[in-house]
Amino acid sequence: MSGDATTADGGQRTAAPAGLRTEGLTKSFGGVRAVNEATVSFRDGQINALIGPNGSGKTTFFNCVTGMIKPDSGSVIFRDKEITGRAPHRIARGGIGRSFQLCRIFPRMTLLENLLVAVRARNLRELMAGSRQPEAVDRARELLVRVGLDHLENAEAGNISYGQQKLLELAGVLMSDPDTIMLDEPAGGVNPALIGRIGTLVRELNAEGKTFLIVEHNMDMVMSLSHHVVVFDRGRPIAEGPPSVVQSDPRVLEAYLGV
Ligand SMILES: Nc1ncnc2c1ncn2[C@@H]1O[C@H](COP(=O)(O)OP(=O)(O)OP(=O)(O)O)[C@@H](O)[C@H]1O
Ligand SMILES: [Mg+2]
């Protein structure tokens, strides 16, 4: 796709295919407006970060975008198509993959089995058929090599470290080859060596064309990895830009430190 795109603030920027954006996205829980008329866009091909204090609505935003939660109002637009309120499996089929803040793996299954059940399937029969396909097994093995867990192929997922479980979950996301990958706190609770490996993987996958949207509290990771950072406070973006600009934005310091 070519031609200039208009930025949220009305300026022109160099061409990039339309990515993922929301308009006025809102979701309340009782009296709490977890996501509050959030209008934000993330360009294709970039590593985007979504940061903000605890409870600022980042996970709820992810849940609304991926169909896990139906927003009260507003819209989610992926590559110029409205996907608001679609079922999660349809959104996944459209090319958006995600991981969860609290790792979702099957602890009693082996690593290889975990990847085989992560393949997109519409029903149990398809799931069982898919998991026996040699191509799926080959792909799962390839991905285990890629995330550095191939030596643990037959270990039970519940017995590996939390950081390794995060890598396994990332491999599970990659099984269906999404081109937009949303990670909710990939470094949370992970030891520094594995954080480094996760960062390297994200960079490599981005170089291969994958778009990322990463929620993360680890500022070293966010600032070293991201092209574009969006800062949430009380359910909506309050600042955005390249890491160097966002880091010194007084609104960001205020949101984080209350100063
Ligand atoms: N299922 C729910 N029911 C009720 N309130 C909820 C629910 N999910 C989130 N909230 C509330 O919505 C607000 C936003 O929560 P959310 O989990 O989206 O924040 P977050 O930015 O991901 O925080 P953290 O950085 O701690 O993960 C919080 O006040 C939270 O308590
Ligand atoms: Mg969260």
Side-chain angles (χ1 to χ4, degrees):
M1 205 181 281
S2 64
D4 281 353
T6 305
T7 55
D9 59 4
Q12 292 287 304
R13 66 184 169 206
T14 350
L20 178 68
R21 64 190 173 90
T22 64
E23 276 174 17
L25 198 69
T26 299
K27 174 68 195 174
S28 299
F29 296 108
V32 179
R33 275 205 163 197
V35 177
N36 190 4
E37 297 187 11
T39 296
V40 57
S41 60
F42 304 98
R43 290 160 69 191
D44 267 346
Q46 295 211 321
I47 301 175
N48 301 281
L50 178 59
I51 66 170
N54 293 116
S56 56
K58 305 177 300 293
T59 296
T60 307
F61 179 85
F62 263 34
N63 286 338
C64 289
V65 167
T66 53
M68 307 273 175
I69 285 180
K70 230 181 155 99
D72 301 330
S73 55
S75 43
V76 182
I77 297 132
F78 182 51
R79 304 211 169 125
D80 294 327
K81 212 185 270 173
E82 178 152 5
I83 59 166
T84 323
R86 278 194 192 168
H89 71 273
R90 284 189 64 203
I91 293 177
R93 278 172 180 264
I96 300 178
R98 77 166 290 186
S99 72
F100 292 87
Q101 186 165 352
L102 297 173
C103 216
R104 289 194 181 178
I105 50 141
F106 297 99
R108 303 293 296 274
M109 293 170 78
T110 68
L111 273 61
L112 186 66
E113 287 164 349
N114 263 275
L115 294 190
L116 294 174
V117 298
V119 183
R120 284 202 293 250
R122 267 179 303 225
N123 53 44
L124 192 60
R125 185 185 299 184
E126 204 175 277
L127 178 72
M128 300 314 287
S131 67
R132 283 194 302 265
Q133 277 170 7
E135 313 89 78
V137 176
D138 288 349
R139 175 149 184 84
R141 292 211 162 105
E142 255 171 51
L143 287 171
L144 284 175
V145 171
R146 178 125 211 212
V147 301
L149 296 176
D150 48 312
H151 59 298
L152 294 167
E153 176 182 312
N154 295 312
E156 276 191 13
N159 290 338
I160 61 175
S161 76
Y162 189 65
Q164 290 172 326
Q165 290 177 355
K166 288 272 197 186
L167 282 162
L168 176 64
E169 200 191 17
L170 176 57
V173 173
L174 295 172
M175 276 301 282
S176 48
D177 201 25
D179 43 32
T180 295
I181 300 174
M182 298 172 61
L183 304 177
D184 197 350
E185 300 199 22
V190 177
N191 77 52
L194 289 190
I195 290 178
R197 194 188 295 170
I198 292 169
T200 303
L201 265 168
V202 167
R203 243 185 231 113
E204 285 173 5
L205 289 161
N206 174 250
E208 291 163 22
K210 306 276 186 207
T211 302
F212 280 88
L213 174 49
I214 302 178
V215 164
E216 186 49 63
H217 286 292
N218 181 320
M219 284 306 126
D220 287 344
M221 187 188 203
V222 167
M223 298 304 169
S224 63
L225 211 56
S226 321
H227 300 112
H228 186 74
V229 181
V230 173
V231 187
F232 253 39
D233 189 31
R234 284 172 253 180
R236 60 165 67 174
I238 54 160
E240 63 178 289
S244 54
V245 173
V246 161
Q247 245 168 339
S248 51
D249 189 314
R251 288 168 298 184
V252 178
L253 297 175
E254 189 189 331
Y256 271 99
L257 306 172
V259 290

